[in-house]
Amino acid sequence: MRTDTNAAAEAVASGRPPRVASRVRSNWPLVMVLWGLHAAACLVLLPWLFSWTGVAAMAAGVIVFGQGINLGYHRLLSHRSLKVPRWFEHSIVVVALCCLQGPPIAWVTTHRRHHRDSDGGADPHSPRAGFWWSHFRWLTLGETKTIEAAAIARHAKDLLHDRFYRRLQRQPLLPLAIYLAHAALFFAVGSGIGLVSGGWAAGLQLGLSLLVWGVVLRTVLVWHITWSVNSLSHVWGRRPYKTGDDSRNNWLVGLIAMGEGWHNNHHHDQAAASVQHRWWQLDGTYYVILLLRALGLATDVVPQRHRRRAGRKASSLP
Ligand SMILES: [Zn+2]
Ligand SMILES: [Zn+2]
């Protein structure tokens, strides 16, 4: 059977967006979740659902929950650029699950495949197959649903040793349950505060406001921020390093994705915890890593390539 991966490979080779042939099954549950949440995010336009508490929860949530992806799924799990205690690693993964981007094994497998053949035939989301393909369409053709066991065994073997991650991968309803539980918590906290301060109507209003602004809109924004790294940072920006792919340093994505947009730097040196190669290329995610190290929660933070080389040279001196 023709798979989504084959469709992407053919598209990259031909330079045309993949055509959704009848044999390429769309991941309909995921399609409905994607569009459903976008539609639900439009509820922020209702004045009754507005609250500054909701706006603050949304703004803070983009940063905090976004770190579940940037720090957790990307630099910690995909590249092992630092080490944290197991309980803390699992906590960050739970934060990432609240971004509704799938279980860690699937995310890491996709990302490592991206690095192994960036903008080549095996890249799951190269913009060479079309901008919108790289932004989100690759998801809708069932990539995360049908991600092959062989690909997982090849690219995410280390994560398979972890029982929690295996469970999240085998039971797709578990990540969804965690997401729904955190949404319910937002609603409950908002309702409780509103109820105490202004009665039942105020409780319902603040609960729904936190749900729509602090969970739904925030989830959609974090989606687009993550997706922009795959799309915008491969089509627009400077390429100081010849990496053999289309990765670029995109200042806008660098800003909104807390450093992840310095993507050409990252493709040049994937192992490093920091992607900041110039003083003005702010890498917010690395500052979080430095904070965790100062708190004793992060160790073995991988330095940039030139520092690793200098360290090796120094240690080889007699
Ligand atoms: Zn890339
Ligand atoms: Zn990466």
PDB file of all heavy atoms in Angstrom, residues 153-179:
ATOM      1  N   ALA A 153      11.718   1.864  15.821  1.00  0.00           N
ATOM      2  CA  ALA A 153      12.830   1.040  16.317  1.00  0.00           C
ATOM      3  C   ALA A 153      14.171   1.612  15.866  1.00  0.00           C
ATOM      4  O   ALA A 153      15.170   1.525  16.574  1.00  0.00           O
ATOM      5  CB  ALA A 153      12.667  -0.393  15.814  1.00  0.00           C
ATOM      6  N   ARG A 154      14.169   2.236  14.691  1.00  0.00           N
ATOM      7  CA  ARG A 154      15.424   2.763  14.153  1.00  0.00           C
ATOM      8  C   ARG A 154      15.796   4.112  14.768  1.00  0.00           C
ATOM      9  O   ARG A 154      16.953   4.369  15.063  1.00  0.00           O
ATOM     10  CB  ARG A 154      15.288   2.918  12.635  1.00  0.00           C
ATOM     11  CG  ARG A 154      16.558   3.350  11.976  1.00  0.00           C
ATOM     12  CD  ARG A 154      16.404   3.383  10.472  1.00  0.00           C
ATOM     13  NE  ARG A 154      17.628   3.850   9.849  1.00  0.00           N
ATOM     14  CZ  ARG A 154      17.677   4.368   8.630  1.00  0.00           C
ATOM     15  NH1 ARG A 154      16.592   4.463   7.923  1.00  0.00           N
ATOM     16  NH2 ARG A 154      18.820   4.773   8.137  1.00  0.00           N
ATOM     17  N   HIS A 155      14.776   4.974  14.937  1.00  0.00           N
ATOM     18  CA  HIS A 155      15.077   6.356  15.324  1.00  0.00           C
ATOM     19  C   HIS A 155      14.837   6.679  16.794  1.00  0.00           C
ATOM     20  O   HIS A 155      15.321   7.694  17.276  1.00  0.00           O
ATOM     21  CB  HIS A 155      14.247   7.323  14.462  1.00  0.00           C
ATOM     22  CG  HIS A 155      14.582   7.257  13.008  1.00  0.00           C
ATOM     23  ND1 HIS A 155      15.758   7.765  12.491  1.00  0.00           N
ATOM     24  CD2 HIS A 155      13.906   6.718  11.969  1.00  0.00           C
ATOM     25  CE1 HIS A 155      15.786   7.554  11.184  1.00  0.00           C
ATOM     26  NE2 HIS A 155      14.686   6.922  10.848  1.00  0.00           N
ATOM     27  N   ALA A 156      14.043   5.864  17.474  1.00  0.00           N
ATOM     28  CA  ALA A 156      13.720   6.221  18.874  1.00  0.00           C
ATOM     29  C   ALA A 156      13.905   5.036  19.811  1.00  0.00           C
ATOM     30  O   ALA A 156      13.166   4.864  20.778  1.00  0.00           O
ATOM     31  CB  ALA A 156      12.291   6.750  18.951  1.00  0.00           C
ATOM     32  N   LYS A 157      14.938   4.245  19.512  1.00  0.00           N
ATOM     33  CA  LYS A 157      15.207   3.044  20.303  1.00  0.00           C
ATOM     34  C   LYS A 157      15.392   3.384  21.780  1.00  0.00           C
ATOM     35  O   LYS A 157      14.922   2.666  22.668  1.00  0.00           O
ATOM     36  CB  LYS A 157      16.471   2.375  19.756  1.00  0.00           C
ATOM     37  CG  LYS A 157      16.533   0.899  19.968  1.00  0.00           C
ATOM     38  CD  LYS A 157      17.730   0.354  19.222  1.00  0.00           C
ATOM     39  CE  LYS A 157      17.809  -1.151  19.385  1.00  0.00           C
ATOM     40  NZ  LYS A 157      18.933  -1.692  18.617  1.00  0.00           N
ATOM     41  N   ASP A 158      16.097   4.481  22.043  1.00  0.00           N
ATOM     42  CA  ASP A 158      16.384   4.862  23.431  1.00  0.00           C
ATOM     43  C   ASP A 158      15.098   5.134  24.214  1.00  0.00           C
ATOM     44  O   ASP A 158      15.010   4.807  25.402  1.00  0.00           O
ATOM     45  CB  ASP A 158      17.307   6.090  23.483  1.00  0.00           C
ATOM     46  CG  ASP A 158      16.808   7.229  22.600  1.00  0.00           C
ATOM     47  OD1 ASP A 158      16.161   6.960  21.572  1.00  0.00           O
ATOM     48  OD2 ASP A 158      17.068   8.397  22.953  1.00  0.00           O
ATOM     49  N   LEU A 159      14.085   5.701  23.536  1.00  0.00           N
ATOM     50  CA  LEU A 159      12.841   6.025  24.240  1.00  0.00           C
ATOM     51  C   LEU A 159      12.004   4.775  24.504  1.00  0.00           C
ATOM     52  O   LEU A 159      11.172   4.762  25.413  1.00  0.00           O
ATOM     53  CB  LEU A 159      12.012   7.035  23.437  1.00  0.00           C
ATOM     54  CG  LEU A 159      12.635   8.411  23.199  1.00  0.00           C
ATOM     55  CD1 LEU A 159      11.602   9.366  22.641  1.00  0.00           C
ATOM     56  CD2 LEU A 159      13.205   8.990  24.473  1.00  0.00           C
ATOM     57  N   LEU A 160      12.245   3.733  23.688  1.00  0.00           N
ATOM     58  CA  LEU A 160      11.471   2.504  23.880  1.00  0.00           C
ATOM     59  C   LEU A 160      11.810   1.811  25.195  1.00  0.00           C
ATOM     60  O   LEU A 160      11.060   0.966  25.667  1.00  0.00           O
ATOM     61  CB  LEU A 160      11.717   1.544  22.705  1.00  0.00           C
ATOM     62  CG  LEU A 160      11.029   1.926  21.392  1.00  0.00           C
ATOM     63  CD1 LEU A 160      11.507   1.029  20.257  1.00  0.00           C
ATOM     64  CD2 LEU A 160       9.509   1.830  21.526  1.00  0.00           C
ATOM     65  N   HIS A 161      12.942   2.173  25.789  1.00  0.00           N
ATOM     66  CA  HIS A 161      13.312   1.569  27.075  1.00  0.00           C
ATOM     67  C   HIS A 161      12.460   2.108  28.223  1.00  0.00           C
ATOM     68  O   HIS A 161      12.473   1.545  29.310  1.00  0.00           O
ATOM     69  CB  HIS A 161      14.793   1.835  27.390  1.00  0.00           C
ATOM     70  CG  HIS A 161      15.719   1.184  26.412  1.00  0.00           C
ATOM     71  ND1 HIS A 161      15.654  -0.151  26.107  1.00  0.00           N
ATOM     72  CD2 HIS A 161      16.728   1.687  25.651  1.00  0.00           C
ATOM     73  CE1 HIS A 161      16.575  -0.448  25.212  1.00  0.00           C
ATOM     74  NE2 HIS A 161      17.240   0.658  24.904  1.00  0.00           N
ATOM     75  N   ASP A 162      11.772   3.211  27.973  1.00  0.00           N
ATOM     76  CA  ASP A 162      11.004   3.866  29.032  1.00  0.00           C
ATOM     77  C   ASP A 162       9.540   3.386  28.985  1.00  0.00           C
ATOM     78  O   ASP A 162       8.859   3.556  27.978  1.00  0.00           O
ATOM     79  CB  ASP A 162      11.072   5.390  28.849  1.00  0.00           C
ATOM     80  CG  ASP A 162      10.498   6.131  30.033  1.00  0.00           C
ATOM     81  OD1 ASP A 162       9.286   5.996  30.283  1.00  0.00           O
ATOM     82  OD2 ASP A 162      11.262   6.841  30.704  1.00  0.00           O
ATOM     83  N   ARG A 163       9.091   2.789  30.099  1.00  0.00           N
ATOM     84  CA  ARG A 163       7.736   2.219  30.140  1.00  0.00           C
ATOM     85  C   ARG A 163       6.656   3.268  29.932  1.00  0.00           C
ATOM     86  O   ARG A 163       5.650   3.035  29.265  1.00  0.00           O
ATOM     87  CB  ARG A 163       7.519   1.516  31.481  1.00  0.00           C
ATOM     88  CG  ARG A 163       6.649   0.278  31.347  1.00  0.00           C
ATOM     89  CD  ARG A 163       6.671  -0.531  32.580  1.00  0.00           C
ATOM     90  NE  ARG A 163       6.152   0.247  33.706  1.00  0.00           N
ATOM     91  CZ  ARG A 163       5.893  -0.249  34.910  1.00  0.00           C
ATOM     92  NH1 ARG A 163       6.119  -1.508  35.142  1.00  0.00           N
ATOM     93  NH2 ARG A 163       5.433   0.497  35.881  1.00  0.00           N
ATOM     94  N   PHE A 164       6.845   4.459  30.516  1.00  0.00           N
ATOM     95  CA  PHE A 164       5.862   5.540  30.396  1.00  0.00           C
ATOM     96  C   PHE A 164       5.704   5.956  28.931  1.00  0.00           C
ATOM     97  O   PHE A 164       4.586   6.105  28.422  1.00  0.00           O
ATOM     98  CB  PHE A 164       6.327   6.725  31.251  1.00  0.00           C
ATOM     99  CG  PHE A 164       5.432   7.932  31.189  1.00  0.00           C
ATOM    100  CD1 PHE A 164       4.054   7.822  31.294  1.00  0.00           C
ATOM    101  CD2 PHE A 164       5.984   9.211  31.031  1.00  0.00           C
ATOM    102  CE1 PHE A 164       3.228   8.947  31.247  1.00  0.00           C
ATOM    103  CE2 PHE A 164       5.176  10.341  30.984  1.00  0.00           C
ATOM    104  CZ  PHE A 164       3.792  10.208  31.084  1.00  0.00           C
ATOM    105  N   TYR A 165       6.824   6.090  28.226  1.00  0.00           N
ATOM    106  CA  TYR A 165       6.769   6.508  26.815  1.00  0.00           C
ATOM    107  C   TYR A 165       6.149   5.415  25.946  1.00  0.00           C
ATOM    108  O   TYR A 165       5.412   5.702  25.005  1.00  0.00           O
ATOM    109  CB  TYR A 165       8.172   6.859  26.299  1.00  0.00           C
ATOM    110  CG  TYR A 165       8.838   7.977  27.064  1.00  0.00           C
ATOM    111  CD1 TYR A 165      10.228   8.089  27.124  1.00  0.00           C
ATOM    112  CD2 TYR A 165       8.085   8.928  27.747  1.00  0.00           C
ATOM    113  CE1 TYR A 165      10.841   9.113  27.833  1.00  0.00           C
ATOM    114  CE2 TYR A 165       8.680   9.945  28.461  1.00  0.00           C
ATOM    115  CZ  TYR A 165      10.059  10.035  28.508  1.00  0.00           C
ATOM    116  OH  TYR A 165      10.650  11.046  29.234  1.00  0.00           O
ATOM    117  N   ARG A 166       6.472   4.154  26.256  1.00  0.00           N
ATOM    118  CA  ARG A 166       5.882   3.040  25.492  1.00  0.00           C
ATOM    119  C   ARG A 166       4.370   3.032  25.643  1.00  0.00           C
ATOM    120  O   ARG A 166       3.622   2.835  24.699  1.00  0.00           O
ATOM    121  CB  ARG A 166       6.455   1.701  25.977  1.00  0.00           C
ATOM    122  CG  ARG A 166       7.832   1.374  25.454  1.00  0.00           C
ATOM    123  CD  ARG A 166       8.100  -0.138  25.503  1.00  0.00           C
ATOM    124  NE  ARG A 166       7.790  -0.748  26.784  1.00  0.00           N
ATOM    125  CZ  ARG A 166       8.635  -0.839  27.816  1.00  0.00           C
ATOM    126  NH1 ARG A 166       9.858  -0.363  27.695  1.00  0.00           N
ATOM    127  NH2 ARG A 166       8.280  -1.415  28.946  1.00  0.00           N
ATOM    128  N   ARG A 167       3.903   3.271  26.879  1.00  0.00           N
ATOM    129  CA  ARG A 167       2.453   3.305  27.152  1.00  0.00           C
ATOM    130  C   ARG A 167       1.781   4.426  26.395  1.00  0.00           C
ATOM    131  O   ARG A 167       0.714   4.260  25.809  1.00  0.00           O
ATOM    132  CB  ARG A 167       2.225   3.495  28.659  1.00  0.00           C
ATOM    133  CG  ARG A 167       1.554   2.302  29.277  1.00  0.00           C
ATOM    134  CD  ARG A 167       1.169   2.570  30.703  1.00  0.00           C
ATOM    135  NE  ARG A 167      -0.291   2.732  30.821  1.00  0.00           N
ATOM    136  CZ  ARG A 167      -0.879   3.222  31.893  1.00  0.00           C
ATOM    137  NH1 ARG A 167      -0.167   3.625  32.920  1.00  0.00           N
ATOM    138  NH2 ARG A 167      -2.183   3.313  31.944  1.00  0.00           N
ATOM    139  N   LEU A 168       2.424   5.595  26.388  1.00  0.00           N
ATOM    140  CA  LEU A 168       1.846   6.744  25.675  1.00  0.00           C
ATOM    141  C   LEU A 168       1.741   6.462  24.182  1.00  0.00           C
ATOM    142  O   LEU A 168       0.823   6.928  23.509  1.00  0.00           O
ATOM    143  CB  LEU A 168       2.707   7.995  25.911  1.00  0.00           C
ATOM    144  CG  LEU A 168       2.645   8.617  27.307  1.00  0.00           C
ATOM    145  CD1 LEU A 168       3.759   9.647  27.477  1.00  0.00           C
ATOM    146  CD2 LEU A 168       1.283   9.267  27.548  1.00  0.00           C
ATOM    147  N   GLN A 169       2.703   5.693  23.655  1.00  0.00           N
ATOM    148  CA  GLN A 169       2.712   5.376  22.224  1.00  0.00           C
ATOM    149  C   GLN A 169       1.670   4.313  21.893  1.00  0.00           C
ATOM    150  O   GLN A 169       0.996   4.388  20.868  1.00  0.00           O
ATOM    151  CB  GLN A 169       4.113   4.891  21.818  1.00  0.00           C
ATOM    152  CG  GLN A 169       4.294   4.647  20.340  1.00  0.00           C
ATOM    153  CD  GLN A 169       4.194   5.911  19.498  1.00  0.00           C
ATOM    154  OE1 GLN A 169       4.484   7.005  19.976  1.00  0.00           O
ATOM    155  NE2 GLN A 169       3.763   5.769  18.250  1.00  0.00           N
ATOM    156  N   ARG A 170       1.517   3.318  22.784  1.00  0.00           N
ATOM    157  CA  ARG A 170       0.610   2.205  22.500  1.00  0.00           C
ATOM    158  C   ARG A 170      -0.844   2.550  22.748  1.00  0.00           C
ATOM    159  O   ARG A 170      -1.735   1.950  22.178  1.00  0.00           O
ATOM    160  CB  ARG A 170       0.991   1.005  23.392  1.00  0.00           C
ATOM    161  CG  ARG A 170       2.217   0.291  22.900  1.00  0.00           C
ATOM    162  CD  ARG A 170       2.388  -1.022  23.628  1.00  0.00           C
ATOM    163  NE  ARG A 170       3.724  -1.553  23.408  1.00  0.00           N
ATOM    164  CZ  ARG A 170       4.502  -2.035  24.358  1.00  0.00           C
ATOM    165  NH1 ARG A 170       4.088  -2.053  25.603  1.00  0.00           N
ATOM    166  NH2 ARG A 170       5.688  -2.505  24.068  1.00  0.00           N
ATOM    167  N   GLN A 171      -1.074   3.480  23.662  1.00  0.00           N
ATOM    168  CA  GLN A 171      -2.464   3.829  24.009  1.00  0.00           C
ATOM    169  C   GLN A 171      -2.729   5.286  23.604  1.00  0.00           C
ATOM    170  O   GLN A 171      -2.548   6.194  24.406  1.00  0.00           O
ATOM    171  CB  GLN A 171      -2.684   3.642  25.507  1.00  0.00           C
ATOM    172  CG  GLN A 171      -2.420   2.224  25.964  1.00  0.00           C
ATOM    173  CD  GLN A 171      -2.466   2.077  27.479  1.00  0.00           C
ATOM    174  OE1 GLN A 171      -2.433   3.038  28.233  1.00  0.00           O
ATOM    175  NE2 GLN A 171      -2.537   0.840  27.922  1.00  0.00           N
ATOM    176  N   PRO A 172      -3.134   5.505  22.348  1.00  0.00           N
ATOM    177  CA  PRO A 172      -3.290   6.875  21.841  1.00  0.00           C
ATOM    178  C   PRO A 172      -4.299   7.702  22.638  1.00  0.00           C
ATOM    179  O   PRO A 172      -4.247   8.933  22.616  1.00  0.00           O
ATOM    180  CB  PRO A 172      -3.766   6.677  20.406  1.00  0.00           C
ATOM    181  CG  PRO A 172      -3.853   5.227  20.159  1.00  0.00           C
ATOM    182  CD  PRO A 172      -3.487   4.467  21.380  1.00  0.00           C
ATOM    183  N   LEU A 173      -5.222   7.015  23.351  1.00  0.00           N
ATOM    184  CA  LEU A 173      -6.208   7.776  24.124  1.00  0.00           C
ATOM    185  C   LEU A 173      -5.602   8.355  25.397  1.00  0.00           C
ATOM    186  O   LEU A 173      -6.159   9.281  25.981  1.00  0.00           O
ATOM    187  CB  LEU A 173      -7.411   6.894  24.469  1.00  0.00           C
ATOM    188  CG  LEU A 173      -8.312   6.541  23.279  1.00  0.00           C
ATOM    189  CD1 LEU A 173      -9.494   5.694  23.735  1.00  0.00           C
ATOM    190  CD2 LEU A 173      -8.811   7.802  22.571  1.00  0.00           C
ATOM    191  N   LEU A 174      -4.457   7.808  25.820  1.00  0.00           N
ATOM    192  CA  LEU A 174      -3.837   8.298  27.058  1.00  0.00           C
ATOM    193  C   LEU A 174      -3.318   9.745  26.904  1.00  0.00           C
ATOM    194  O   LEU A 174      -3.627  10.603  27.748  1.00  0.00           O
ATOM    195  CB  LEU A 174      -2.709   7.350  27.483  1.00  0.00           C
ATOM    196  CG  LEU A 174      -2.072   7.605  28.845  1.00  0.00           C
ATOM    197  CD1 LEU A 174      -3.111   7.620  29.957  1.00  0.00           C
ATOM    198  CD2 LEU A 174      -0.997   6.559  29.142  1.00  0.00           C
ATOM    199  N   PRO A 175      -2.559  10.068  25.829  1.00  0.00           N
ATOM    200  CA  PRO A 175      -2.163  11.473  25.633  1.00  0.00           C
ATOM    201  C   PRO A 175      -3.382  12.394  25.536  1.00  0.00           C
ATOM    202  O   PRO A 175      -3.372  13.503  26.075  1.00  0.00           O
ATOM    203  CB  PRO A 175      -1.388  11.461  24.308  1.00  0.00           C
ATOM    204  CG  PRO A 175      -0.882  10.071  24.182  1.00  0.00           C
ATOM    205  CD  PRO A 175      -1.935   9.203  24.807  1.00  0.00           C
ATOM    206  N   LEU A 176      -4.446  11.914  24.877  1.00  0.00           N
ATOM    207  CA  LEU A 176      -5.656  12.731  24.746  1.00  0.00           C
ATOM    208  C   LEU A 176      -6.304  12.952  26.113  1.00  0.00           C
ATOM    209  O   LEU A 176      -6.760  14.063  26.434  1.00  0.00           O
ATOM    210  CB  LEU A 176      -6.641  12.039  23.792  1.00  0.00           C
ATOM    211  CG  LEU A 176      -7.915  12.822  23.464  1.00  0.00           C
ATOM    212  CD1 LEU A 176      -7.578  14.126  22.743  1.00  0.00           C
ATOM    213  CD2 LEU A 176      -8.876  11.975  22.630  1.00  0.00           C
ATOM    214  N   ALA A 177      -6.314  11.897  26.934  1.00  0.00           N
ATOM    215  CA  ALA A 177      -6.905  12.013  28.277  1.00  0.00           C
ATOM    216  C   ALA A 177      -6.126  13.019  29.123  1.00  0.00           C
ATOM    217  O   ALA A 177      -6.726  13.810  29.861  1.00  0.00           O
ATOM    218  CB  ALA A 177      -6.910  10.644  28.958  1.00  0.00           C
ATOM    219  N   ILE A 178      -4.795  13.012  28.986  1.00  0.00           N
ATOM    220  CA  ILE A 178      -3.973  13.965  29.746  1.00  0.00           C
ATOM    221  C   ILE A 178      -4.292  15.390  29.286  1.00  0.00           C
ATOM    222  O   ILE A 178      -4.432  16.309  30.094  1.00  0.00           O
ATOM    223  CB  ILE A 178      -2.470  13.635  29.585  1.00  0.00           C
ATOM    224  CG1 ILE A 178      -2.152  12.331  30.329  1.00  0.00           C
ATOM    225  CG2 ILE A 178      -1.582  14.784  30.099  1.00  0.00           C
ATOM    226  CD1 ILE A 178      -0.771  11.772  30.096  1.00  0.00           C
ATOM    227  N   TYR A 179      -4.451  15.561  27.968  1.00  0.00           N
ATOM    228  CA  TYR A 179      -4.778  16.891  27.444  1.00  0.00           C
ATOM    229  C   TYR A 179      -6.140  17.360  27.974  1.00  0.00           C
ATOM    230  O   TYR A 179      -6.279  18.497  28.445  1.00  0.00           O
ATOM    231  CB  TYR A 179      -4.794  16.866  25.909  1.00  0.00           C
ATOM    232  CG  TYR A 179      -5.141  18.208  25.314  1.00  0.00           C
ATOM    233  CD1 TYR A 179      -4.174  19.200  25.202  1.00  0.00           C
ATOM    234  CD2 TYR A 179      -6.438  18.497  24.906  1.00  0.00           C
ATOM    235  CE1 TYR A 179      -4.491  20.448  24.690  1.00  0.00           C
ATOM    236  CE2 TYR A 179      -6.767  19.738  24.391  1.00  0.00           C
ATOM    237  CZ  TYR A 179      -5.785  20.712  24.289  1.00  0.00           C
ATOM    238  OH  TYR A 179      -6.107  21.950  23.798  1.00  0.00           O
TER     239      TYR A 179
END
